[in-house]
Structure formats: structure tokens, C-alpha cells
Amino acid sequence: MHIPRNELPAVGLDPELAYQIVHDELMLDGNARLNLATFVTTWMEPQADRLMAECFDKNMIDKDEYPRTADLEARCVRMLATLWHASTDAPGCSTTGSSEACMLAGLALKRRWKHRGGKGTPNIVMGANVQVCWDKFANYWDVEPRLVPMDGEEFHLSAEQAVAHCDENTIGVVAVLGSTFDGSYEPVAEICAALDDLRARTGLDIPVHVDGASGAMIAPFCDPDLEWDFRLPRVASINTSGHKYGLVYPGVGWVVWRDREALPEDLVFRVNYLGGEMPTFALNFSRPGSQVATQYYNFLRLGFDGYRRVQQACRDVATRLAGEIEALGPFRLLTRGDQLPVFAFTVKEDQPFSVFDVSAAMRAKGWLVPAYTFPANRTDLSVLRIVVRNGFSEDLADLMLDNLKRVLHVLAKQDRPRTGPAAASFAHGA
């Protein structure tokens, strides 16, 4: 039987046959559990799977028809607000992921700048290590991106560099709590303090947005004394990915503003909700309520202590694995997995293979370990990165390490590196 790929078939198929055709083709995808490139959740409990299936048909935007789903979203926002040390009436919403959340936060920064009398071309200051959604935001909404390049062994934004790039047209500074390049936290408190000093010296009052796509669901549980959130008065908004360390399947993100002043009222639309009005601020319209329902399930199921145990277990696996990879000899660690449970490492110069050789050889064994080059001014640096997520157990880590040892035994016999950056294909923050 001929199954067309590029046009609708003339007649339909039996449902079991159609399922089997699609199922069989998808088997050629990689095993998601062995994907050490992605930050996105690849395992949830069976009860969460069932709950998600029960909510696929509920349209999140239809708050009048599905008021309980709308209320679950509002509860999640309040839980995140208090987790990040804001009040329970702080405005916020769910999104399809951190990319949409970042764009909403950026729009709020731009509108606040405009309300303060901003003229000319607005700009936004951020490190060159930010996720690509910030480049998209700047492009789509006509904002100049002021990307601070990497410098030597400094792989993310510093307070000094952030202030040096600010002027009267700066709508905000983006601080990343967990760089996708190496898993390190940017110094949010130091950046805020430097901006406080800038205000005292010049009168420029520049807010900070914390892109906590991953770290905003790690730091509250594993680093409770670290000040990076709304405890810092200069932090205006925070986003996170529910589908990363929020432990929900894609796609769901969250954004919360400090207070109603941080989210200009003229950006908020109001929809009818059970005879009243409900505010809404989003780029997308129709989307399923399943991810929001399972986010609330996770909050109830795990609680603070459960999230702490899950995230600490991920960090423990990451730091142990980083140490054992360093002990192999051919690699130099850039980070150790002790902030995000993520670490990056490079191949020492005296080795007859490259990071791209290692990545290709590991892929042949079923493991996706990405290799990539850093951005300006460190495009000379090529690294491998491992993301440890919930479900990547100590046993799986041991199996991965055993495969890596076998790969190195073969690669060590090469006379020179075989592959380079052109062979790599990788998108940060995936």
C-alpha cells in the first residue's frame, strides 16, 4: 500500500493501521530519556500522565467554560509568587514556555520605559549567553540588543559589564539564573547592587528581569539563602519553564511580576469570566489546559520538600558525574553541576580527538551529548554539556560513564580530530 507523505490520501485508513504507521516512524527518533542535551522534562508519574490526557481537550483561553482550569492557573501563579518572595496578589500567568514568558516580560519593560518618557531607540542589556528568545524579542519588538560578549574565563554577564552598557534608553537588564551554555548562575544580586549605585550617581533607574527558565525552580529549593528573586527590590519580573525543572511535559512556562506597577495596565486585556472580568496577558490564544493541570498536580504532589529532594538528587548526580568525567584525564571542566545540575567540559589540547568526535561517538551508542562552540568572544572554545534531569538516575549515569570510557578507548587511537563545529547541530535552552 502506498502511503502519501506530501498530500492527503484519497481515502482514509483503519485507525490501528494509521497509528502503527506513525508509531513506527517515530521509533527512529532518539530515546528521550538518553537525551542529555535537553532541559525539557522527559518523565512524569503515571497519575500525571493520566491527568494530562484528561485535560487535552480543555482550551486554556476559554476561562468562562473551564473556570476550574483557570483557577488552577491562578493558584500556580500565587504559589510561584510566594516561592520567589512576592505577595500572593502579584500578577502573572502561564505561557507556552519560557520564550513567550520572556517576550511578555520584555514587552512590560519596554512599555514601562515608554511611560517614563523614553524616547529614541530602546535597548536591552544581556550577556551573549542568553537564550535565542531574547534575540527574537529584540528583533520582533524593535529593541536594540546590547549583548555583552564573553571574556576569558568569564562566561556570563558581570555587574560591571552590565552597568557599562546601560544608558537612558535601556529598558532593562536581563540576568540569567542558569546559563544554558554551562549551567552557571549569573550574579543577580551584584548586578542589582551595581544598578542601585548607577541610580545614585546618575538618576538612571533600570529594572532587572531574571530569566530563571531553569534556575528559578532550582535555587529556591537547593540554594534558599541565595538572593536573586523579589527580595531584591530592583527585580521587576521573573520567568521559569514549568516544562524544565518545574517537572511538567512541554510546553508550559510562567512569568510573575513584582506588583501591578511592574506590569503596565495598558498591556492587560480583560475577558468575561462567569459574569465578571478576568485579566489576561499572553501572545498565544488557544492552547490545552493539560500542562497547567499537571503543574498544579506536581505542586500538590511534591510540595516544597519534594521539589527540594528531586532537585538535590539531580544536583548530586551532576556533581558526581562531573567529578568522574574530570578524573578520566582527557577533559577539563568549565562547571561542576553545583548550581544548575548541568555542567560543561572541553577536551584538553593534547588529545587526538575533539568534543565533536566524542559527541558523534556517544550518539552512535544512543546518548545525545551536545557539542558546540561558545559565542563571542570565545568562539574558539568548544565544549560538551550534560543536563541532569529528574529520571536520570545514578544507574543511568554509571551506564553513560561506562559508554564514555569505551568511546574514549577508541578515540584515543586516532591520529587527529575527525570532526569539527560544522558537524554540530544544537539549539541552546532546548
Side-chain angles (χ1 to χ4, degrees), residues 350-354 357 410-418:
D350 60 350
Q351 298 300 315
F353 53 86
S354 69
D357 291 328
V410 175
L411 293 179
K413 299 176 182 179
Q414 294 183 174
D415 57 349
R416 59 182 173 80
R418 303 296 186 185

Side-chain angles (χ1 to χ4, degrees), residues 293-329:
T294 47
Q295 182 74 85
Y296 186 65
Y297 164 86
N298 271 346
F299 286 168
L300 293 183
R301 167 73 176 89
L302 294 173
F304 186 94
D305 186 63
Y307 267 97
R308 181 193 60 77
R309 287 185 287 109
V310 168
Q311 313 301 36
Q312 187 61 53
C314 290
R315 182 180 281 184
D316 290 345
V317 171
T319 54
R320 179 181 75 82
L321 191 55
E324 296 202 25
I325 286 176
E326 182 181 40
L328 294 176

Side-chain angles (χ1 to χ4, degrees), residues 339-373:
Q339 292 184 326
L340 291 189
V342 174
F343 61 96
F345 54 104
T346 189
V347 172
K348 294 178 180 177
E349 292 183 0
D350 60 350
Q351 298 300 315
F353 53 86
S354 69
V355 296
F356 305 100
D357 291 328
V358 176
S359 180
M362 289 296 285
R363 184 185 287 266
K365 292 185 174 296
W367 298 95
L368 181 56
V369 182
Y372 53 93
T373 57

Side-chain angles (χ1 to χ4, degrees), residues 216-271:
M217 292 303 293
I218 295 289
F221 308 106
C222 297
D223 309 296
D225 295 329
L226 179 68
E227 292 193 343
W228 63 273
D229 55 14
F230 293 119
R231 285 172 288 184
L232 302 170
R234 193 157 294 279
V235 173
S237 49
I238 300 170
N239 71 275
T240 196
S241 291
H243 61 229
K244 292 180 181 174
Y245 289 99
L247 310 181
V248 177
Y249 289 139
V252 61
W254 300 92
V255 58
V256 177
W257 287 266
R258 167 179 295 280
D259 49 35
R260 302 199 177 278
E261 182 182 353
L263 176 59
E265 180 64 25
D266 55 355
L267 285 176
V268 179
F269 290 82
R270 301 195 174 273
V271 297

